[in-house]
Amino acid sequence: MSVSNPRDCRVSGVSLWFLPVATRVPLKFGTEALTSVTCARVRVTVVGRDGREATGWGETPLSVQWVWPSATPHGPRHEALKLFTQLLARAWAGCMEWGHPVELGHDFVRDWLPRLHEDFHASDLGGAMGGGGERMPWLAALVACSPFDIALHDAYGRLHGVPTYDTYQRPWMNRDLASFLSPAPGATVDFRGRDIREWLRPERSEVLRAWHLVGGLDPVRRPELTGAEPDDGHPVLLEDWIRRDGLKCLKVKLRGTDPEWDWQRMVAVDAVAREGGVEWLTADFNCTVRDPAYVTDILDRLMTDHPATFARLLYVEQPFPYELAEHPIDVRPVSARKPLFLDESAHDWREVERGRGLGWTGVALKTCKTQTGALLSACWARAHGMTLMVQDLTNPMLAQVTHALLAAHVPTIMGVETNSMQFYPDASLPESRVHPGLYRRTDGCIRMETVRGPGFGHRMEEVQREMPGPVFAG
């Protein structure tokens, strides 16, 4: 890396907060249900080569049920993930390297994070698992790392008074894409002399089509109501959500272990969708399927018995276990029928490459796996003809800003999944007063016009949120 680039920065301070959030209704992930989440909010201070300093913000929900599926009770996993996040805060505070955030973030995940992850496992997860010694998944380590990486990107843009997305090119950066990415064997792709900015939209999208999540526990028809639903002014039934938000796109959570239930769920949701004028569906099997025939049988039955439903199904998301090296399933029978998107498996571009070799055709990007990783995966995928989507981790508060910004800058198959307004709408009230179009879907869309200014455009000085004391400051 060049040591003479006047645009370089390094980390000079890190602060970490844990913000608890409770859901208004449960959200099912695979075999577990989420009823609360801890959001890790991070402030990173950077210093430039000229001695000037700036701060940036990052946030990610530590969604234990998604990042760490296990039979171990939720409590120990939750505490272990919080502990690991605090260890990362100390590590990032000690990072003395200079460079661009993509370079610093890439090197941290390549060189530091694996050692920290391994040491954490070797020490029995810091005792947080009660002597069980269960290994924390790499996905959980990435999610814990992401708010620091995001905050670094924001701070860099603020240091130079420019939107961070404008800096994903030289001369801001010291390295080209060939320093981070390698083409797939046999591919006619050359990353030498290429920059991230080339693979993004020339201009960001200001209005994004919003995908609504139909969770596995969500009532679809009125007879499914139990009387225990919240009475808080927000919809409960799917038809009411469609009407209030003008929804045009629905993502349907399926079980992946009960083909008849999954079939009936798709048919039932589509019936309500058609009545409300919804145009598109996706199906998410949440990594629980082991045999492609499970998915192809459902798709073929839809194509035969409900061809209009099949036609509205835009793509299928991650039916199979996300550790591709352990489960190298040939998925071409599925992707021959519908576009098939990696989600949990898409840790980085190398896993995307592995998935492409198995027949996956698309990549669902998430900022919760680091902003740096999402950008590099997007570039690799686009260079190899794969389709992109930006999927939600039920991002509230500041997490929603960077999530939506990624979707605004990469050419997705259609819009962005955004569902925090379904599961904890009140959590984002301070941020929604500054960015109302991000936290309320209207005409089936979210809107970006208030996200302006240097860095990621959070406009933190206008967000009136009372904060507890940090759990780490260094």
Side-chain angles (χ1 to χ4, degrees):
M1 180 185 298
S2 167
V3 296
S4 60
N5 191 338
R7 301 167 183 83
D8 288 345
C9 75
R10 70 168 176 83
V11 175
S12 60
V14 172
S15 298
L16 168 66
W17 291 262
F18 288 141
L19 306 180
V21 176
T23 65
R24 59 186 289 269
V25 292
L27 170 57
K28 196 167 187 296
F29 281 112
T31 59
E32 298 184 82
L34 182 149
T35 57
S36 64
V37 69
T38 296
C39 288
R41 177 172 289 195
V42 169
R43 181 179 64 206
V44 166
T45 303
V46 299
V47 60
R49 290 198 180 274
D50 60 2
R52 291 182 302 109
E53 286 193 326
T55 59
W57 294 84
E59 185 175 273
T60 298
L62 301 180
S63 187
V64 177
Q65 294 88 338
W66 184 72
V67 304
W68 194 343
S70 171
T72 299
H74 171 269
R77 285 178 287 150
H78 181 225
E79 290 305 313
L81 189 54
K82 288 168 62 180
L83 177 59
F84 186 69
T85 306
Q86 293 175 75
L87 294 177
L88 287 178
R90 185 170 292 109
W92 273 101
C95 182
M96 294 292 105
E97 299 297 321
W98 291 89
H100 184 277
V102 170
E103 297 154 358
L104 299 176
H106 170 270
D107 292 354
F108 189 96
V109 170
R110 182 192 63 190
D111 300 332
W112 290 52
L113 191 59
R115 293 198 299 268
L116 293 164
H117 179 236
E118 187 60 36
D119 289 347
F120 195 57
H121 171 61
S123 64
D124 184 29
L125 303 183
M129 297 299 290
E134 179 179 337
R135 185 177 182 84
M136 183 179 70
W138 178 248
L139 178 59
L142 281 174
V143 166
C145 188
S146 66
F148 303 96
D149 178 82
I150 291 168
L152 175 60
H153 283 250
D154 182 42
Y156 182 80
R158 291 177 60 81
L159 177 68
H160 295 293
V162 297
T164 300
Y165 273 87
D166 289 350
T167 75
Y168 295 141
Q169 57 192 324
R170 287 160 297 167
W172 301 96
M173 295 182 63
N174 303 288
R175 311 182 206 171
D176 64 9
L177 278 174
S179 302
F180 310 106
L181 308 176
S182 298
T188 57
V189 175
D190 189 351
F191 290 115
R192 290 175 297 181
R194 310 292 294 276
D195 292 325
I196 291 171
R197 196 70 189 84
E198 297 178 48
W199 302 98
L200 305 178
R201 293 182 183 274
E203 301 290 337
R204 77 179 196 185
S205 297
E206 298 299 326
V207 179
L208 298 169
R209 181 70 68 90
W211 287 81
H212 172 98
L213 178 65
V214 184
L217 301 176
D218 292 1
V220 173
R221 294 287 193 183
R222 197 161 299 278
E224 298 172 32
L225 296 175
T226 66
E229 292 79 16
D231 182 13
D232 55 6
H234 298 286
V236 174
L237 281 175
L238 178 58
E239 63 186 63
D240 295 332
W241 278 114
I242 294 171
R243 184 182 307 109
R244 194 197 78 168
D245 291 0
L247 299 172
K248 299 299 180 184
C249 304
L250 303 179
K251 170 178 169 176
V252 186
K253 286 274 190 183
L254 302 176
R255 293 178 176 175
T257 56
D258 185 341
E260 187 58 31
W261 189 93
D262 287 349
W263 154 260
Q264 294 290 350
R265 186 66 164 180
M266 286 300 302
V267 171
V269 169
D270 186 58
V272 176
R274 281 186 288 109
E275 293 169 5
V278 170
E279 298 169 356
W280 296 104
L281 306 172
T282 69
D284 179 6
F285 292 85
N286 263 125
C287 310
T288 50
V289 178
R290 296 295 189 273
D291 185 351
Y294 182 104
V295 182
T296 57
D297 287 351
I298 291 174
L299 294 178
D300 290 347
R301 188 175 173 191
L302 284 174
M303 184 166 53
T304 300
D305 296 350
H306 294 272
T309 305
F310 181 83
R312 274 188 288 277
L313 191 63
L314 189 61
Y315 64 93
V316 173
E317 181 183 338
Q318 192 76 46
F320 308 108
Y322 65 74
E323 298 298 349
L324 296 182
E326 299 173 23
H327 304 277
I329 300 170
D330 185 339
V331 300
R332 289 175 180 83
V334 180
S335 59
R337 289 162 169 82
K338 286 290 179 180
L340 182 62
F341 279 64
L342 294 157
D343 184 355
E344 288 84 353
S345 295
H347 299 331
D348 56 42
W349 71 268
R350 291 178 180 85
E351 289 302 298
V352 174
E353 179 180 18
R354 189 191 300 270
R356 179 176 177 269
L358 294 169
W360 298 80
T361 59
V363 181
L365 304 170
K366 280 188 166 83
T367 53
C368 68
K369 299 174 197 173
T370 74
Q371 174 79 3
T372 297
L375 292 168
L376 294 177
S377 293
C379 293
W380 196 95
R382 288 205 69 198
H384 291 82
M386 300 181 76
T387 310
L388 301 178
M389 184 57 187
V390 173
Q391 301 289 66
D392 206 356
L393 192 62
T394 313
N395 289 300
M397 302 183 288
L398 295 186
Q400 172 74 344
V401 177
T402 43
H403 166 65
L405 269 177
L406 179 64
H409 282 92
V410 300
T412 66
I413 190 171
M414 183 174 294
V416 62
E417 181 195 353
T418 178
N419 59 59
S420 65
M421 56 284 292
Q422 300 172 233
F423 295 97
Y424 23 69
D426 293 344
S428 304
L429 287 176
E431 292 78 12
S432 69
R433 295 186 184 103
V434 179
H435 305 291
L438 280 187
Y439 300 93
R440 174 72 182 264
R441 303 169 303 199
T442 56
D443 299 323
C445 298
I446 60 171
R447 288 165 170 79
M448 306 291 300
E449 63 266 13
T450 60
V451 183
R452 288 284 183 267
F456 287 139
H458 292 123
R459 295 166 53 189
M460 283 295 289
E461 64 280 359
E462 301 174 51
V463 176
Q464 302 299 311
R465 174 177 290 280
E466 293 187 12
M467 296 278 285
V471 296
F472 175 89

